[in-house]
Amino acid sequence: MKRGELAPMRITNRWDDQAITCHWHGLGVSGDLDGGPHVTIAPGATWAPELEVDQPAATLWYHSHVHARTAEHVYAGLAGMLLVDDPSAPDPGLPRTWGVDDIPLIIQDRAFEEGGAFAYANRGPARMHGFRGDHMLVNGAIRPEVDVPMGLTRFRVLNASNARTYTLRFADGRTFHQVASDGGLLPAPVPLAQLVLAPAERVEVVVDFAQGGTATLVSEGDPNEPPGMMGPPGTRFTPPPSDAGAEGEFDIMTFRADPSRPAQVRALPARLAGAPTPPEGPPARRREFVLDVHGGGGMGAMGGGRGRGMGMMGGGMTINGVSMDMGVINERVRRGEPEVWEIVSQDMAHPFHVHGGNFRVLSNNGTPVPYETSGLKDVVLVDGRAEILVRFDHEAGPSAPYMYHCHILEHEDAGMMGQFTVAP
Ligand code: C2O
Ligand code: CU
Ligand code: CU
């Protein structure tokens, strides 16, 4: 999509027995166009919204978002990457030849049945910790290899996994540069040896292949994964071991510098022209969101019969003591007013996502987070307690409100989600 255009979309549901939705994750549009759980597309039906694209260039995505079915839908394949370009912005000087030195990487973990179909079972430890597969897929291929020019290559990386958090690095330890996060460019490239990518987060990184040879992208184990987790029948839950051999580490894919492909870009700019500016200003109010996998904290336990198990209807995971209810508006927000949202993660780190607006992360686990290294975000992996400064520039009414939720899809489906309206 291009900034400034009115993008005509057509989404046809060819599934014959289930409604779907198409949520534009990260796109600033009003609630009725956002494709959240209320904007369902019946089997055989077509949804044709026109989307007004007005935001900085960014790597976004889209996916089905039917309440209590999102995990199953995304796992089955109803997800993709969505790029916004800004023809009016100055050229930041980054690699930008699509498929040559500007390459999308959609990372997902999957388990397989004997016959090769995706295996998915939301039960046992997966209900509590989210579902993880034992095979790594990038753009739908198992641990692929790709040829790249002998120079700088830009990767737009999306973690489209249901639950797995990656700690990405190269097996040879090479430094790379992060140039963008969820909402667009960072002010300047940030040199890194590794980065953590939680479900639904995006980064753009630039990697130098000038010295030739191959480089393998690897991940460390997921700190959110319980030890000794067992998968569905017929699958192993141990990720494939890496050649690098470090404990818990596994391969994701391999890049091969191709001497017949000359470098298009050889040096990174010192500053990234056109980078978005963060939301600023004194917050009009503060809100707190407490994420709980056990269901209502004390409330659930005291309510009698609503045990701490995961088995009851609605799933029983909560934010501020209540599970997602399609009929309840949990928060009401004013358009254009900055707010500080404080998110509290209990028991494990939850990737908290907000529809309808970007935010800057002020702090995480008591430590200030500089905007220069985190940029504009719509997902934050909450480590204990995080504070974000958020502002909403579009409206969402009660018939199609925005969502805030954990982006571990099994948690979202189990009720760790809430709804809010945005009005003048
Ligand atoms: Cu990526 Cu509410 O979604
Ligand atoms: Cu979203
Ligand atoms: Cu969660």
Side-chain angles (χ1 to χ4, degrees), residues 291 293 348-351 406-408 411 416:
L291 280 49
V293 293
M348 61 191 281
H350 298 281
C406 176
H407 222 291
I408 291 176
H411 288 184
M416 197 179 280

Side-chain angles (χ1 to χ4, degrees), residues 106-318:
I106 304 174
I107 300 180
Q108 297 179 304
D109 56 337
R110 292 290 182 270
F112 292 90
E113 291 173 359
E114 299 271 308
F118 286 159
Y120 183 75
N122 185 7
R123 57 169 185 266
R127 281 191 76 78
M128 177 65 85
H129 297 273
F131 185 89
R132 286 169 184 75
D134 59 337
H135 285 76
M136 291 312 310
L137 275 63
V138 181
N139 302 347
I142 297 175
R143 292 202 280 161
E145 292 186 9
V146 66
D147 287 349
V148 292
M150 302 260 296
L152 299 180
T153 297
R154 171 190 195 168
F155 298 105
R156 301 167 184 260
V157 192
L158 158 66
N159 181 356
S161 308
N162 280 29
R164 190 182 286 279
T165 290
Y166 302 94
T167 302
L168 301 174
R169 57 187 202 81
F170 286 93
D172 61 10
R174 72 178 64 195
T175 300
F176 55 91
H177 286 81
Q178 185 181 347
V179 295
S181 60
D182 301 334
L185 295 173
L186 299 177
V190 177
L192 294 172
Q194 62 174 45
L195 64 80
V196 174
L197 199 65
E201 282 189 303
R202 289 89 64 205
V203 287
E204 294 181 30
V205 296
V206 174
V207 186
D208 192 354
F209 296 98
Q211 74 273 42
T214 64
T216 300
L217 182 67
V218 301
S219 176
E220 283 172 20
D222 180 354
N224 266 340
E225 183 174 17
M229 184 160 164
M230 297 298 290
T235 67
R236 293 173 298 126
F237 256 71
T238 330
S242 157
D243 300 335
E247 209 180 330
E249 192 177 278
F250 55 94
D251 291 2
I252 294 184
M253 69 177 297
T254 299
F255 305 98
R256 219 174 14 227
D258 178 355
S260 72
R261 297 175 191 226
Q264 320 236 336
V265 178
R266 292 184 187 277
L268 268 176
R271 308 281 309 166
L272 297 169
T277 49
E280 290 287 2
R285 61 172 288 177
R286 294 180 77 92
R287 298 175 203 258
E288 187 182 52
F289 299 88
V290 180
L291 280 49
D292 191 348
V293 293
H294 294 297
M299 299 265 307
M302 282 154 51
R306 310 211 52 178
R308 296 174 71 84
M310 295 289 98
M312 63 267 220
M313 276 296 292
M317 293 193 187
T318 58

Side-chain angles (χ1 to χ4, degrees), residues 3 25-27 55-61 82-86 89 92 94 154-157 178-190 200-205 272-279 357-359 371-379:
R3 184 176 202 169
H25 180 130
L27 198 69
Q55 66 190 75
T59 297
L60 313 178
W61 65 306
L82 168 59
L83 303 183
V84 174
D85 283 332
D86 185 351
L94 295 170
R154 171 190 195 168
F155 298 105
R156 301 167 184 260
V157 192
Q178 185 181 347
V179 295
S181 60
D182 301 334
L185 295 173
L186 299 177
V190 177
E201 282 189 303
R202 289 89 64 205
V203 287
E204 294 181 30
V205 296
L272 297 169
T277 49
N358 282 309
F359 52 77
Y371 181 79
E372 290 67 36
T373 58
S374 60
L376 217 47
K377 297 282 294 166
D378 58 54
V379 181

